[in-house]
């Protein structure tokens, strides 16, 4: 009965194509589209950093020598692409009552069982990817096994001091919140070293977001305007789109991020993480090939799947894997804030 697995429909290529065609619902970061995705044929990449120097060019007489610009130093930093794998199986008894081989229904039924498993594992990989991307936005990527990728250490830069927004102050000084937002924006611009960007976004924990929305400066900014519904609903973006908990203040879009694993939120309740949007190449995702004979030295894909027989002949093992690295190329532009 399990000869069906020897058909082309269950080859590495076919299963990999199938799992990558499963309707993918990206996490919030995926929806923002801030991570540039690329593929490599290796399991390690070298990130080249060039500390270019921006300077004003002095006018010079026509025909005379021009100004010499420092080309900056190039530093290549190695990064290993993490490997994520889920092992599953389709047991012989699960397809025992499928109609005899040679009918279309048997192939479709077994394919359906495999597709059902792959769909579940695809969502697990999506959550894993979102969690790693949140880490890249924080500057420290934490994986499920507790290991970390500290981007500040990797790029040899210091993390900016945590900004205390003092949101529990019952009588804040007038204009102090807007000044802190302006200071954050200036720090981000400075640390981008002249790289253009289109805006600033912040993912906020629940308590931070609630207190920020209730802050007197925010209330006064929106009161009596067409955007006053933000005070009631708190989910209107500058372009009019509506999502869960977001509003603009002080040149920053503040969003109440919802991602969590069990009872542990991706963003601490009293924290926020502020980052620039639209900066070319700031956030990157790199996909490497799977560790299968069929995929060695090929360009990486987002997901891979493979099936192979169990040694005891009782079913088929199914592997689903992702080999993906999420990182920020300028981690010093990432700012953490706290409620108090």
């Amino acid at each position: 009965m399990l000869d069906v697995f020897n058909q082309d429909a269950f080859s590495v290529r076919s299963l990999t194509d199938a799992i990558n065609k499963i309707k993918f619902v990206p996490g919030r970061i995926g929806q923002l589209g801030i991570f540039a995705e690329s593929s490599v044929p290796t399991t390690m990449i070298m990130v080249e950093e060039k500390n270019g120097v921006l300077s004003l060019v002095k006018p010079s007489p026509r025909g005379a020598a021009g100004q010499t610009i420092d080309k900056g130093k190039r530093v290549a930093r190695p990064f290993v692409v993490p490997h994520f794998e889920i092992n599953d199986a389709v047991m012989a008894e699960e397809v025992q009552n499928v109609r005899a081989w040679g009918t279309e229904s048997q192939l479709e039924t077994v394919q359906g069982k495999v597709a059902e498993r792959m769909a579940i594992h695809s969502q697990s990989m999506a959550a894993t990817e979102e969690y790693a991307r949140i880490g890249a936005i924080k500057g420290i990527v934490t994986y499920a096994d507790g290991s970390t990728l500290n981007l500040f250490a990797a790029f040899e830069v210091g993390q900016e001091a945590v900004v205390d927004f003092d949101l529990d102050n019952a009588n804040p000084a007038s204009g102090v919140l807007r000044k802190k937002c302006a200071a954050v924006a200036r720090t981000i611009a400075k640390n981008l070293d002249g790289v253009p960007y289109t805006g600033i976004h912040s993912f906020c924990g629940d308590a931070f977001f609630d207190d920020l929305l209730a802050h007197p400066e925010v209330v006064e900014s929106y009161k009596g305007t067409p955007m006053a519904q933000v005070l009631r609903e708190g989910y209107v973006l500058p372009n009019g789109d509506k999502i869960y908990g977001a509003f603009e203040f002080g040149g920053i879009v503040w969003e109440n991020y919802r991602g969590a694993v069990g009872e542990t939120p991706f963003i601490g309740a009293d924290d926020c993480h502020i980052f620039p949007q639209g900066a070319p190449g700031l956030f990157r995702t790199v996909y490497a090939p799977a560790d299968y004979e069929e995929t060695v030295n090929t360009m990486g894909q987002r997901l891979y799947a493979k099936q192979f027989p169990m040694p005891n002949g009782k079913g088929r093992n199914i592997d689903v894997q992702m080999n993906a690295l999420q990182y920020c190329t300028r981690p010093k532009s990432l700012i953490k804030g706290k409620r108090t």
Side-chain angles (χ1 to χ4, degrees):
M1 292 292 288
L2 292 181
D3 284 346
V4 65
F5 284 105
N6 295 323
Q7 303 302 305
D8 184 64
F10 295 97
S11 67
V12 171
R13 178 185 294 274
S14 296
L15 288 178
T16 295
D17 286 345
I19 196 169
N20 280 292
K21 289 178 181 177
I22 292 174
K23 185 174 178 57
F24 172 54
V25 180
R28 179 61 187 136
I29 299 177
Q31 292 173 352
L32 286 177
I34 60 175
F35 278 77
E37 299 178 356
S38 60
S39 298
V40 295
T42 59
T43 58
M44 177 182 288
I45 64 169
M46 299 295 289
V47 177
E48 186 178 69
E49 178 187 4
K50 183 178 180 181
N51 293 324
V53 177
L54 296 178
S55 61
L56 295 178
V57 180
K58 302 175 183 177
S60 58
R62 293 179 182 275
Q67 181 176 337
T68 300
I69 301 296
D70 185 353
K71 293 182 175 60
K73 296 181 179 179
R74 292 177 181 267
V75 179
R77 306 180 189 280
F79 288 88
V80 175
V81 179
H83 173 79
F84 307 94
E85 183 173 320
I86 297 174
N87 301 131
D88 199 352
V90 173
M91 306 304 294
E93 62 183 16
E94 295 181 64
V95 294
Q96 179 176 339
N97 295 321
V98 174
R99 291 173 59 185
W101 170 243
T103 64
E104 185 180 47
S105 61
Q106 185 197 43
L107 178 61
E108 291 177 345
T109 301
V110 177
Q111 280 181 314
K113 289 183 179 295
V114 174
E116 181 180 323
R117 303 286 179 79
M118 291 198 304
I120 295 172
H121 302 327
S122 173
Q123 292 306 308
S124 295
M125 291 299 186
T128 300
E129 187 168 62
E130 178 82 357
Y131 188 56
R133 285 177 169 177
I134 277 288
I137 285 174
K138 293 179 178 180
I140 300 177
V141 183
T142 302
Y143 301 109
D145 62 357
S147 62
T148 61
L149 170 60
N150 188 319
L151 295 170
F152 301 106
F155 284 94
E156 299 178 355
V157 296
Q159 183 175 7
E160 291 289 342
V162 176
V163 178
D164 184 353
F165 283 89
D166 195 26
L167 297 180
D168 65 340
N169 190 336
N171 298 292
S174 177
V176 66
L177 181 60
R178 192 173 291 276
K179 286 181 180 178
K180 288 190 176 183
C181 293
V184 167
R186 292 180 185 123
T187 299
I188 288 175
K190 178 190 70 174
N191 291 339
L192 284 175
D193 293 326
V195 173
Y197 62 99
T198 58
I200 300 176
H201 204 96
S202 175
F203 285 138
C204 311
D206 292 347
F208 185 100
F209 183 85
D210 291 344
D211 284 359
L212 179 63
L213 187 60
H215 193 279
E217 283 188 54
V218 176
V219 173
E220 287 301 317
S221 294
Y222 283 105
K223 187 182 295 183
T225 72
M227 293 289 285
Q229 71 182 87
V230 169
L231 302 178
R232 301 187 300 271
E233 302 169 351
Y235 64 96
V236 181
L237 289 173
N239 62 2
D241 288 344
K242 295 182 178 182
I243 62 169
Y244 177 88
F247 66 95
E248 183 182 20
F249 177 82
I252 300 171
V253 174
W254 306 89
E255 179 177 343
N256 188 194
Y257 185 81
R258 290 186 295 173
V261 174
E263 298 298 319
T264 304
F266 287 3
I267 303 292
D270 293 321
D271 300 334
C272 75
H273 292 274
I274 310 169
F275 56 94
Q277 281 188 271
L282 181 63
F283 295 106
R284 292 185 177 274
T285 296
V286 175
Y287 296 120
D291 56 351
Y292 302 143
E293 294 175 350
E294 301 91 334
T295 58
V296 170
N297 294 326
T298 61
M299 298 301 288
Q301 298 190 52
R302 181 174 174 271
L303 296 175
Y304 287 89
K306 182 176 183 176
Q307 59 81 23
F308 54 96
M310 292 182 177
N312 59 11
K314 292 187 176 181
R316 290 277 170 155
N317 293 300
I318 298 176
D319 285 349
V320 172
Q321 66 172 266
M322 176 176 68
N323 302 274
L325 174 68
Q326 322 288 340
Y327 65 100
C328 174
T329 58
R330 292 177 179 267
K332 200 167 179 63
S333 66
L334 310 175
I335 308 295
K336 180 179 180 180
K338 62 180 182 178
R339 187 176 66 89
T340 180

